[in-house]
Amino acid sequence: MTLHLLCSFVAAAFWPSAAFTSPDGCAVDLGGCPADAATREEVLDHSVLLQVSGHVDDSRGRDLGPKGDKKRPQMIVATWNLKRFDRATPSEIAVSLAQVGADVIGTNEDIEFNESSQDNALSIPGYTKAAACRGEALWESETAYALGGRWLQNAIYIRDETMTKVHSFSKNISDAQVVGEYVRCTAIADLQMKGGKKRNLPIRVAAAHLIGGQYVDSQFLTFEGEKAYEMRQVLLDRPDVLMGDLNSYPDTERVEQRQQAYDPYIDAKGAGQLDQYLGWTRQGTQEAEHAGYMRLQNFENTTAYGGTVDHIYLRPDVSLEFSQSFEVMGGHIVGNFEQSDHNLVMAGGSSSEA
């Protein structure tokens, strides 16, 4: 992946012959299990994930690492909050995502259109929608409503050239007694890379968007615990790759750096509730970390308002690790917050050949 085209955010490496286990990894619809435990251990032991340094590109623009090196990127994932197509049309977003060239793309604030308006839905050239979940209904005042958009959705798109869907499902993750009709959801897909060894287990990918935003933040005591609840619901399905807008910061120091002029922060501080508010801003990421999920400890702004709220996490027990390549995607492909109020976050990596 050419660094002059992207300023990407996270890099992780995926070894094509590693066993990527999921909670029901032995189920028939997930492709079965290795023949025995010894075989599985042998496969996992070969998973070595390495930093990308120096860059040689293939015909798809992928970063292949140093020329002549055996490190090769095996899977590239990306996540982007599309801001309900308020700043760019679905066709404009589709062009940008096709240029990115990730193997798996997760979207938040994507739109589900009514049956008569499917031509207006996001359709990325060379990709298939592998999973989607329905969130809250759109207001009539929103831009996409006039185009036939009716619900928010999270979705997962896979590159036809490189990925195959094995299984997918979706679920609501909100506590209805807390959020009412403003439900959040997660889209989940079990995926395999084309050309991999048949004994590979699928990689489970989840695209999630946790509760948040200025109105909710201003009422954080009413919604207290909801963000953590939603993350726990996502983690129950033990995704190998968890990505999306979690409306959660990596640490409280960055909240205090970025929210000095944010009304909910100011109000909480004035009311003597700052400690509770800071805890609220960390609930999603804390739950992921308590479950052992990993992300790089490098942070850049992922929103136009400052701060890191879009994340890619890896499950700890599937022999996946992040490399030290770390980038956030802006610039002339997705614009400087011209197409959304979020940056696209990307993860890609390399591994040694067995």
Side-chain angles (χ1 to χ4, degrees):
M1 191 167 300
T2 53
L3 294 184
H4 68 278
L5 286 180
L6 323 172
C7 196
S8 329
F9 174 10
V10 184
F14 300 90
W15 178 243
S17 61
F20 295 90
T21 57
S22 295
D24 50 349
C26 294
V28 173
D29 64 350
L30 293 184
C33 289
D36 52 47
T39 301
R40 182 174 181 276
E41 289 179 4
E42 177 187 354
V43 175
L44 292 176
D45 287 344
H46 283 270
S47 181
V48 182
L49 306 177
L50 303 168
Q51 176 178 348
V52 179
S53 59
H55 304 278
V56 178
D57 301 330
D58 70 1
S59 59
R60 288 175 50 200
R62 289 180 176 229
D63 183 336
L64 295 185
K67 186 175 182 179
D69 201 325
K70 292 185 177 181
K71 306 180 185 71
R72 291 293 181 270
Q74 301 302 333
M75 180 174 171
I76 299 172
V77 299
T79 180
W80 198 10
N81 182 318
L82 305 180
K83 193 174 169 45
R84 309 173 186 224
F85 303 126
D86 282 347
R87 297 191 180 185
T89 65
S91 59
E92 290 170 334
I93 294 288
V95 169
S96 295
L97 287 172
Q99 289 183 53
V100 169
D103 298 301
V104 182
I105 299 170
T107 57
N108 304 135
E109 294 193 23
D110 200 339
I111 301 295
E112 179 185 340
F113 287 79
N114 60 30
E115 290 185 9
S116 62
S117 304
Q118 288 302 303
D119 288 345
N120 292 329
L122 179 61
S123 179
I124 309 168
Y127 287 79
T128 297
K129 183 187 289 185
C133 67
R134 178 183 292 181
E136 66 186 71
L138 285 188
W139 295 351
E140 292 185 17
S141 59
E142 296 189 76
T143 303
Y145 192 92
L147 301 175
R150 292 298 181 266
W151 296 275
L152 285 179
Q153 69 174 357
N154 300 319
I156 297 172
Y157 300 84
I158 59 174
R159 190 179 180 94
D160 298 332
E161 180 185 342
T162 59
M163 304 300 299
T164 299
K165 182 181 84 170
V166 178
H167 177 65
S168 67
F169 61 99
S170 63
K171 60 187 276 189
N172 288 340
I173 57 175
S174 300
D175 183 342
Q177 294 183 336
V178 175
V179 304
E181 63 187 31
Y182 300 108
V183 298
R184 299 288 172 137
C185 63
T186 182
I188 301 173
D190 297 319
L191 308 172
Q192 285 184 315
M193 294 204 73
K194 292 182 177 180
K197 295 181 179 179
K198 292 183 179 180
R199 66 181 180 179
N200 287 358
L201 294 180
I203 302 166
R204 174 161 288 184
V205 178
H209 186 194
L210 303 187
I211 192 170
Q214 186 164 354
Y215 172 76
V216 172
D217 288 347
S218 68
Q219 306 290 325
F220 75 94
L221 290 178
T222 301
F223 294 94
E224 177 60 28
E226 174 61 20
K227 205 178 295 185
Y229 176 88
E230 291 176 359
M231 177 57 80
R232 291 189 197 114
Q233 294 302 305
V234 176
L235 296 176
L236 284 176
D237 293 295
R238 302 189 71 204
D240 302 319
V241 180
L242 165 61
M243 57 185 176
D245 177 1
L246 304 184
N247 275 311
S248 301
Y249 282 70
D251 54 53
T252 56
E253 290 76 14
R254 285 174 176 79
V255 179
E256 295 184 291
Q257 289 172 7
R258 299 296 182 181
Q259 294 198 7
Q260 291 292 325
Y262 187 50
D263 286 343
Y265 175 92
I266 295 169
D267 293 343
K269 187 174 183 179
Q273 299 169 340
L274 185 58
D275 286 345
Q276 297 99 307
Y277 177 78
L278 292 175
W280 163 255
T281 66
R282 285 269 292 127
Q283 282 187 11
T285 49
Q286 277 188 324
E287 287 297 323
E289 291 159 10
H290 287 167
Y293 278 71
M294 303 173 293
R295 77 179 309 286
L296 282 180
Q297 299 302 300
N298 296 352
F299 305 101
E300 297 180 31
N301 290 341
T302 68
T303 76
Y305 313 104
T308 307
V309 297
D310 302 272
H311 304 271
I312 297 177
Y313 279 95
L314 300 182
R315 188 156 69 92
D317 53 348
V318 289
S319 293
L320 301 179
E321 294 180 9
F322 285 111
S323 78
Q324 294 303 305
S325 292
F326 185 90
E327 308 168 293
V328 164
M329 198 156 174
H332 71 268
I333 292 184
V334 301
N336 295 312
F337 302 113
E338 295 163 5
Q339 295 188 332
S340 174
D341 58 352
H342 287 249
N343 272 327
L344 182 147
V345 177
M346 177 172 284
S350 61
S351 62
S352 294
E353 296 175 356

